[in-house]
Amino acid sequence: MSRSLFLKNADMVMTMDTDRRELRGASIHIVGDQIVAIGADLATPATVDEVIDLAGHLVCPGLINTHHHMFQSLTRAVPAAQDASLFGWLRTLYPIWSRLTPEMVRISTQTAMAELLLSGCTTSSDHLYLFPNGSRLDDSIEGAREIGMRFHAARGSMSIGESQGGLPPDSLVEREADILRDSERLIDAFHDPRPRSMLRVVLAPCSPFSVSRELMRDCAVLARRRGVSLHTHLAENTDDVAYSLERFNRTPARYAEDLGWLGPDVWHAHCVQLDAEGVALFGRTRSGVAHCPCSNMRLGSGIAPITQMLRAGVSVGVGVDGSASNDSGNLLAELRQAMLLQRVRSGPGTLTARQALEMGTLGGAKVLGRDDIGGLAPGMAADLAVFDLSDLAFAGALHDPVAALMFCGPPRGAYTIVNGEVVVREGRLATMDLRTLVDRHNMLAGRLLNDQNA
């Protein structure tokens, strides 16, 4: 028998359904992993496993994070990388990351996911692109299962080291045949294409400056043969663009087109320096973009032309990016920053609060190739974010709590429900002890940095 949950009397439910309804005094009935009913006139079922009274709360679809490097949670605010641009930042951190272990990958995944879950995020991708000391994507997957987050696990890779004109050290790159073989293994072992799946595998060669043309092409062929999505970095800053022009004689967008890396099954991180031709090309091919505003600002990469992308029909979601370039993993704060930054670029009113929230829900779902998450309606996955309107962040803004979620200081989630399971309850992580997790994470982070300084 499937477990049932009834959420009653919410002050506001932002559905993000086809009519974008905002329901006052509404309730939601969940059975198993999906929503079965939603509305203001629902009576409490005669038999239900749990009833949660959400009077005084705002409910919205679970937020969706479209780009992250969770292992980087171990190297936040590293002094030598605090003031570097992208390439210098990477060169500083590669030697530290070369000491990652399987436990570090698993624990950092859980730490990053805890931060996301507490901000109302229910689904996240993660781009793991280096595998030193026996580390595998399996370690991230194990961590996600334990903490209870819906997961798109991206099998990243680097194959072109410094000796071949790439950016990473040779010690961190892999043989391309090994990358493809392991990609097939992961799809066979873990990829679940069914509706409301908790785990999907993505193929994700890291970037134009760390993999070959051949690997990009081969991954695209493999992904389409096996029915999985594709992800990489593109046009992150001016150095990235210059590298593509010098090495490939192509803009990043044209390089992606040459390699079969455009389409609704592909999303690219950043695209800060995507030119007008590239924006139009992405729009025509329904390609996706993961917008990471805080990381782009922190590294001085620029402001991505998000409003132009949206007008051109590009699928746009939001990502917190690696916690060593953002130094935070709060997706609610990231959505607020995305809204404000577009106003800096193009003027006030350019991106409204509700448009920003839509990027973080339905936009993220579209980028990840899903139609079963991102909105609240019967048949959709039971992924919800719930916020307490008595939180200090909402004080003085209850006349429009949906807008307040974006404009005001980001509150911690009161409840986060993933696949029908309460993962955050009354503002506390319910699936593992957070203090124990953070203590272990800090010990491992200290080991990484101390080994560097030894």
Side-chain angles (χ1 to χ4, degrees), residues 411-433:
R412 175 175 284 205
Y415 294 87
T416 303
I417 298 169
V418 184
N419 212 42
E421 298 292 334
V422 180
V423 180
V424 171
R425 184 182 292 273
E426 296 180 350
R428 297 175 65 88
L429 190 65
T431 50
M432 55 179 47
D433 183 75

Side-chain angles (χ1 to χ4, degrees), residues 11 14 29 38 41 96 123 140 143 222 232 259 348 378 390 435:
D11 277 27
M14 179 62 173
H29 187 197
I38 182 169
D41 55 354
I96 301 174
T123 299
S140 293
L222 174 58
T232 193
L259 299 174
S390 67
R435 182 72 265 161

Side-chain angles (χ1 to χ4, degrees), residues 89-110:
W89 174 85
L90 284 168
R91 288 189 175 105
T92 299
L93 291 170
Y94 281 141
I96 301 174
W97 296 336
S98 71
R99 293 187 293 276
L100 285 169
T101 65
E103 184 191 12
M104 290 175 180
V105 171
R106 179 175 59 83
I107 293 295
S108 61
T109 296
Q110 292 177 333

Side-chain angles (χ1 to χ4, degrees), residues 291-294 297 303-304 306-307 310 316-319 331-360 400-410:
H291 176 41
C292 307
C294 288
M297 289 189 295
I303 305 174
I306 297 304
T307 52
L310 292 171
V316 180
V318 174
L331 189 54
L332 200 59
E334 200 75 26
L335 293 174
R336 180 176 188 266
Q337 199 66 38
M339 177 187 72
L340 297 177
L341 200 56
Q342 288 309 298
R343 294 173 177 224
V344 171
R345 180 185 173 96
S346 303
T350 298
L351 194 68
T352 69
R354 285 165 172 80
Q355 286 171 326
L357 186 57
E358 183 164 335
M359 281 201 310
D400 191 350
V402 175
L405 199 59
M406 294 292 98
F407 276 108
C408 304

Side-chain angles (χ1 to χ4, degrees), residues 133-154:
N133 307 310
S135 300
R136 301 192 300 170
L137 192 62
D138 309 52
D139 304 312
S140 293
I141 290 169
E142 179 186 350
R145 282 181 170 166
E146 290 175 356
I147 203 168
M149 186 164 226
R150 198 179 300 277
F151 192 31
H152 282 232

Side-chain angles (χ1 to χ4, degrees), residues 266-280:
V266 183
W267 85 99
H268 298 267
H270 304 298
C271 295
V272 175
Q273 301 297 336
L274 202 64
D275 59 16
E277 180 189 46
V279 169

Side-chain angles (χ1 to χ4, degrees), residues 1 62 74 85 119 123 211 215 264 277 287 323 330 366 420:
M1 181 73 69
L74 292 159
S85 61
S119 73
T123 299
V211 298
L215 182 62
E277 180 189 46
S287 302
S323 290
N330 186 316
K366 190 174 182 181

